[in-house]
Amino acid sequence: NAGVMQNPRHLVRRRGQEARLRCSPMKGHSHVYWYRQLPEEGLKFMVYLQKENIIDESGMPKERFSAEFPKEGPSILRIQQVVRGDSAAYFCASSPAGGRGNEQFFGPGTRLTVL
Amino acid sequence: AQSVSQHNHHVILSEAASLELGCNYSYGGTVNLFWYVQYPGQHLQLLLKYFSGDPLVKGIKGFEAEFIKSKFSFNLRKPSVQWSDTAEYFCAVRDSGAGSYQLTFGKGTKLSVIP
């Protein structure tokens, strides 16, 4: 069974460019979560999505960041006009349903470096 | 708001030494507690979790953790580490409410085991 897939694993962008991070959840999972780990920090929740719905984006920065999880295809975390402070590891997790009883399975992360 | 504190940034041990990694959390309500491990180049994996009941929880690969409610602690232990335990370890907490999904992570502890 394939686990949560993220690509690319490493992404380098110059300031002002766009970054697109992809997450394919585990088979049968319809709930996706994005977390960000800044250098020397713990993972911090960004957004929770179900297919075609954003359930909770309370952890997303107000500007330049957006996320989607279309009916078909992977979930995308999009960062427009990247700045050096966006350099971080971005982790995606998935679960078969939301809520307490459902373990979140994590992907390997995408490490974004902004030059 | 929840917060998680992991006391050690980097721990270096020789094989067969005993391990204890500290984790304290701050939250006014009841919580679920988790330890995740990330081996080099791999995804985060769940080591063990505490929801309720026996405060001594046993996980995979010989790891265990003890929930001490009065101390708001959930320390991870292993009696004898192996070189293959070299990894980064993350403690996480979540509100125990039925609809809760946001995990709050500590900054992580890097464990290096010397053969």
Side-chain angles (χ1 to χ4, degrees):
Chain A
N1 278 337
V4 178
M5 308 289 285
Q6 289 188 249
N7 68 80
R9 294 290 304 273
H10 299 273
L11 182 62
V12 179
R13 286 287 179 265
R14 296 191 182 280
R15 280 179 295 171
Q17 291 184 318
E18 179 179 284
R20 279 183 182 244
L21 288 64
R22 292 174 185 77
C23 170
S24 297
M26 285 181 71
K27 189 176 179 181
H29 287 192
S30 58
H31 296 244
V32 165
Y33 315 80
W34 285 93
Y35 291 81
R36 177 168 69 171
Q37 184 184 24
L38 293 168
E40 307 299 320
E41 297 290 329
L43 282 75
K44 288 191 168 37
F45 170 81
M46 299 181 75
V47 62
Y48 165 32
L49 310 105
Q50 296 176 24
K51 289 277 188 182
E52 300 183 282
N53 278 311
I54 297 174
I55 307 302
D56 179 357
E57 56 182 348
S58 59
M60 289 276 270
K62 299 296 181 205
E63 296 176 346
R64 301 186 297 107
F65 284 71
S66 61
E68 62 176 7
F69 188 18
K71 187 176 181 182
E72 300 292 336
S75 175
I76 307 282
L77 180 67
R78 183 182 177 208
I79 311 171
Q80 295 178 288
Q81 299 176 335
V82 296
V83 300
R84 287 219 174 106
D86 297 332
S87 294
Y90 292 82
F91 290 90
C92 169
S94 72
S95 66
R100 183 173 75 91
N102 292 281
E103 178 183 339
Q104 294 177 24
F105 293 82
F106 282 81
T110 293
R111 275 162 176 75
L112 172 65
T113 301
V114 180
L115 302 177
Chain B
Q2 301 160 5
S3 67
V4 177
S5 174
Q6 291 184 241
H7 313 303
N8 307 101
H9 180 62
H10 193 185
V11 172
I12 302 173
L13 293 173
S14 298
E15 276 195 320
S18 64
L19 170 72
E20 181 159 2
L21 300 182
C23 172
N24 285 89
Y25 69 92
S26 172
Y27 184 61
T30 54
V31 294
N32 302 145
L33 295 154
F34 306 81
W35 275 98
Y36 285 85
V37 60
Q38 187 174 28
Y39 298 102
Q42 296 189 27
H43 56 278
L44 277 163
Q45 299 174 43
L46 183 65
L47 265 182
L48 48 78
K49 61 187 177 186
Y50 172 80
F51 278 20
S52 63
D54 188 344
L56 184 61
V57 180
K58 294 195 184 300
I60 60 171
K61 305 187 180 187
F63 286 91
E64 65 178 32
E66 185 175 12
F67 171 48
I68 304 180
K69 190 175 180 180
S70 61
K71 295 184 178 179
F72 299 90
S73 71
F74 191 56
N75 291 356
L76 181 71
R77 299 195 291 248
K78 186 170 184 179
S80 175
V81 295
Q82 301 171 310
W83 176 77
S84 58
D85 293 323
T86 295
E88 189 157 17
Y89 292 81
F90 295 90
C91 181
V93 65
R94 181 179 66 189
D95 184 285
S96 64
S100 296
Y101 46 81
Q102 280 193 34
L103 292 165
T104 299
F105 285 84
K107 293 184 180 182
T109 298
K110 287 186 173 69
L111 172 65
S112 299
V113 180
I114 302 168

